Amino acid sequence: MTIILGLESSCDETAAALVTADRRILAHALAGQADSHAPFGGVVPEIAARAHVDRLMPLVEQALSESGVKLADVDAIAATAGPGLIGGVMVGLVTGKALAHATGKPLIAVNHLEGHALSPRLADASLHFPYLLLLVSGGHCQLLAVEGVGQYRRLATTIDDAAGEAFDKSAKLLGLPYPGGPELEKLAAQGRAGALKLPRPLLNSAEPHFSFAGLKSAVARAVQAGTHESADIAAEFQAAVVDCLIDRTRRAIMSAGSMTALVVAGGVAANGPVRAALAELAAAHSLAFVAPPGWLCTDNAAMIAWAGAERFALGMVDD
């Protein structure tokens, strides 16, 4: 059975994983950096890169030890090759190159977005191409027709900020600790959406893309006004994001052509209200709905290893 070693270091998560071609995750070792970046309210690229240098090889050794697999038994090494914070990407990719060179194993350079795009196929063996993907994270917000490995048709993207970035910045405006997205979701559960009115950028527009900058600015004004409870602002912000995501995704369903499923991936896919609304939308259009487990939505090495496995099976390796 093919075994792929995957390395992920594109932002502030350092990870190594071993995944087989039959979708078994033999090991997944991950080290977060939230405590290091919390004093700054966001990821500091230099701190992140230095942490990757210190942590990546010990995590590789941990994954090999936990799985009982020897490096010599690995069939190929997959590493994130971008996009991401350049320092972190360099650490992971150079490590992957070094391991591949030293062992004589093939190298597979994985686009981080492709890792997210294919991760639902790791979680659900019944998911077949083509499917409609909402890729929604801290750095990206896109709707893609996933037609095959390496075959992606972009239907929409953000014209300014990503939804996850809007979550994190709005959480910071509300005085919530880093990482802010999950904290804002918790706070929103205590508030009342509709207690104030925030904008829904591009809602019902013929324009296919996303926009969240105006919504984020509206949150800043609401916080500065001081006339509403923080929980109500959080609840209305989250409702506005959900409305925008659903409106844009509905438009994509109508324009994408025949799809087997509606799929969500990326860090924001771990948000409960986002998942619930997308599941309802998929059902309304007679589409299967696939959402990977929460940990597989955020940055991880299992999705990189799986993307590597999909590419390796098609002979798609790199020099």
Side-chain angles (χ1 to χ4, degrees), residues 70-105:
K70 296 179 180 179
L71 189 58
D73 298 327
V74 170
D75 292 283
I77 295 162
T80 298
L85 301 177
I86 187 62
V89 170
M90 288 173 63
V91 171
L93 185 57
V94 169
T95 300
K97 287 181 177 182
L99 289 171
H101 182 69
T103 59
K105 305 292 183 179

Side-chain angles (χ1 to χ4, degrees), residues 17 23 45 86 117 173 176 217 223 225 231 249-250 269 284 291 310:
R23 294 177 170 82
I86 187 62
L173 289 167
L176 299 175
S217 298
V223 171
T249 304
R250 181 183 296 110
E310 294 250 43

Side-chain angles (χ1 to χ4, degrees), residues 1-4 19-26 121-122 125 306 309:
M1 177 56 61
T2 299
I3 301 174
I4 306 296
V19 173
T20 68
D22 64 351
R23 294 177 170 82
R24 286 179 294 137
I25 301 173
L26 303 180
R121 283 172 48 82
L122 171 59
W306 174 250

Side-chain angles (χ1 to χ4, degrees), residues 11-14 31-38 47-49 51-52 55 178:
C11 190
D12 63 334
E13 306 285 358
T14 316
Q33 303 176 17
D35 291 345
S36 299
H37 301 288
I47 293 174
H52 292 312
R55 298 174 180 179
Y178 175 85

Side-chain angles (χ1 to χ4, degrees), residues 34-120:
D35 291 345
S36 299
H37 301 288
F40 307 97
V43 178
V44 180
E46 179 65 17
I47 293 174
R50 291 179 181 274
H52 292 312
V53 170
D54 293 336
R55 298 174 180 179
L56 186 53
M57 277 311 300
L59 289 173
V60 170
E61 293 167 359
Q62 179 184 333
L64 291 169
S65 175
E66 288 179 359
S67 65
V69 173
K70 296 179 180 179
L71 189 58
D73 298 327
V74 170
D75 292 283
I77 295 162
T80 298
L85 301 177
I86 187 62
V89 170
M90 288 173 63
V91 171
L93 185 57
V94 169
T95 300
K97 287 181 177 182
L99 289 171
H101 182 69
T103 59
K105 305 292 183 179
L107 171 74
I108 305 169
V110 175
N111 183 297
H112 183 78
L113 278 70
E114 182 171 52
H116 282 303
L118 296 177
S119 64

Side-chain angles (χ1 to χ4, degrees), residues 124-179:
D124 189 339
S126 68
L127 179 61
H128 299 293
F129 302 119
Y131 52 85
L132 178 64
L133 169 70
L134 173 62
L135 175 54
V136 58
S137 68
H140 308 282
C141 191
Q142 299 183 355
L143 282 158
L144 302 165
V146 181
E147 298 170 340
V149 179
Q151 300 175 42
Y152 309 98
R153 180 162 48 94
R154 193 176 72 180
L155 305 173
T157 188
T158 179
I159 61 175
D160 42 53
D161 300 329
E165 194 266 355
F167 261 99
D168 289 338
K169 291 293 175 62
S170 295
K172 188 174 182 179
L173 289 167
L174 290 165
L176 299 175
Y178 175 85

